[in-house]
Amino acid sequence: MVAYAGNLLVVDSDESRTALEEGAGAGYKYVATEFDKKLEELSERETGLSDVEITILLRVLTKATLSIKRFQKLLHCVVPETIVQKEHIQTVVILMLVRHVYEPPEKSIAVLQWLIALLENELADRQAIDSFYHQIYFLLFVESLARWASKIVYMLTTPDDVKRARVVTLFRCNLKQSGAHHIEALLGLFKSLRPELVPEDVSTVNTHTAFGRIPATLSEAVNKSRCCRPKARS
């Protein structure tokens, strides 16, 4: 995996693309095929990855210029044997926060879906994700990311997180994103936690329909990891 990842870093540069256009296309096709084979092997593993393996994959994820499809598939492979370490969470989230303004939204969506999967399956230190609560909260203003960001906010929010300024923010988002059930679901949660800060006419929304489902491939990967984790001694 490391060798192929290294080759991919080279051929994915602008300089290499120019060379490929001048007649070296076969080399790129070969390396890309080998890289994809390795991704397929990883996706078929029956157990989660070790910390060392995750470190390697995240090095590729952060330094390589990957297509949307390869980025998504690689991230879906980043499922741990036990939990994703705090520093790995920080690496991926910071990458998303820095790049979401100029990269395709599908990559940021993939990161948010990955975080949701980790939270739902207890495969990450909750505090490591919660440390980015404020930054993820303001992704609610990015319409392409709001549905997934709102699910993370919904999962992390405690009564102490519900403040008047955040309630006002949600109403602004609701006006901007007309009919956004995910925003309405958050308002309903805020109302249940701090009713004195949310107007009485805010109704409850079915959370099963308000938020999207994570991709089946990611769901299968985290389920395999969860099922194969060593059982705690009694």
Side-chain angles (χ1 to χ4, degrees):
M1 180 68 191
V2 181
Y4 293 127
N7 287 338
L8 189 68
L9 287 176
V10 174
V11 297
D12 262 356
S13 68
D14 290 337
E15 182 179 352
S16 297
R17 284 200 187 94
T18 302
L20 292 172
E21 290 171 0
E22 294 174 354
Y28 174 78
K29 184 177 181 181
Y30 172 77
V31 174
T33 299
E34 294 300 320
F35 182 79
D36 292 334
K37 284 180 181 177
K38 291 298 177 182
L39 276 184
E40 196 62 36
E41 289 174 14
L42 280 173
S43 66
E44 292 174 357
R45 277 182 53 156
E46 294 298 323
T47 60
L49 304 182
S50 68
D51 288 343
V52 172
E53 290 171 317
I54 288 177
T55 298
I56 293 170
L57 290 192
L58 293 188
R59 192 175 300 144
V60 178
L61 197 78
T62 56
K63 296 186 179 299
T65 303
L66 299 173
S67 67
I68 293 170
K69 185 176 181 180
R70 287 197 184 108
F71 183 94
Q72 292 169 332
K73 194 160 187 174
L74 181 58
L75 191 56
H76 289 181
C77 293
V78 183
V79 177
E81 290 174 327
T82 52
I83 65 169
V84 178
Q85 298 301 314
K86 180 179 180 179
E87 57 268 26
H88 293 148
I89 295 290
Q90 292 173 335
T91 295
V92 178
V93 176
I94 291 172
L95 176 77
M96 174 193 66
L97 293 172
V98 170
R99 295 185 180 180
H100 85 273
V101 294
Y102 62 84
E103 284 202 335
E106 289 85 356
K107 290 187 177 183
S108 295
I109 290 171
V111 171
L112 294 171
Q113 291 171 339
W114 179 70
L115 294 173
I116 291 168
L118 297 182
L119 284 169
E120 289 180 336
N121 292 276
E122 299 180 348
L123 292 173
D125 178 356
R126 187 182 181 89
Q127 292 301 320
I129 300 176
D130 189 66
S131 65
F132 291 99
Y133 181 95
H134 182 74
Q135 290 85 352
I136 293 173
Y137 190 89
F138 277 93
L139 292 180
L140 298 178
F141 276 115
V142 184
E143 193 164 354
S144 59
L145 309 181
R147 191 178 188 188
W148 302 103
S150 63
K151 176 66 179 289
I152 297 175
V153 171
Y154 191 96
M155 297 173 75
L156 295 176
T157 296
T158 66
D160 289 339
D161 294 315
V162 182
K163 305 181 186 301
R164 188 174 300 279
R166 285 181 174 151
V167 173
V168 172
T169 298
L170 285 183
F171 275 106
R172 288 177 179 170
C173 290
N174 204 31
L175 288 173
K176 184 179 178 182
Q177 303 170 39
S178 179
H181 295 306
H182 47 279
I183 301 297
E184 294 170 355
L186 273 181
L187 281 168
L189 173 67
F190 278 27
K191 181 180 176 182
S192 70
L193 296 175
R194 297 287 301 276
E196 72 277 11
L197 296 181
V198 183
E200 291 184 7
D201 59 353
V202 170
S203 57
T204 302
V205 175
N206 187 334
T207 56
H208 292 291
T209 57
F211 305 114
R213 293 184 177 182
I214 63 175
T217 53
L218 179 56
S219 181
E220 290 169 6
V222 294
N223 283 335
K224 283 192 296 186
S225 176
R226 183 178 58 183
C227 292
C228 294
R229 273 188 290 181
K231 295 182 179 179
R233 294 180 181 179
S234 56

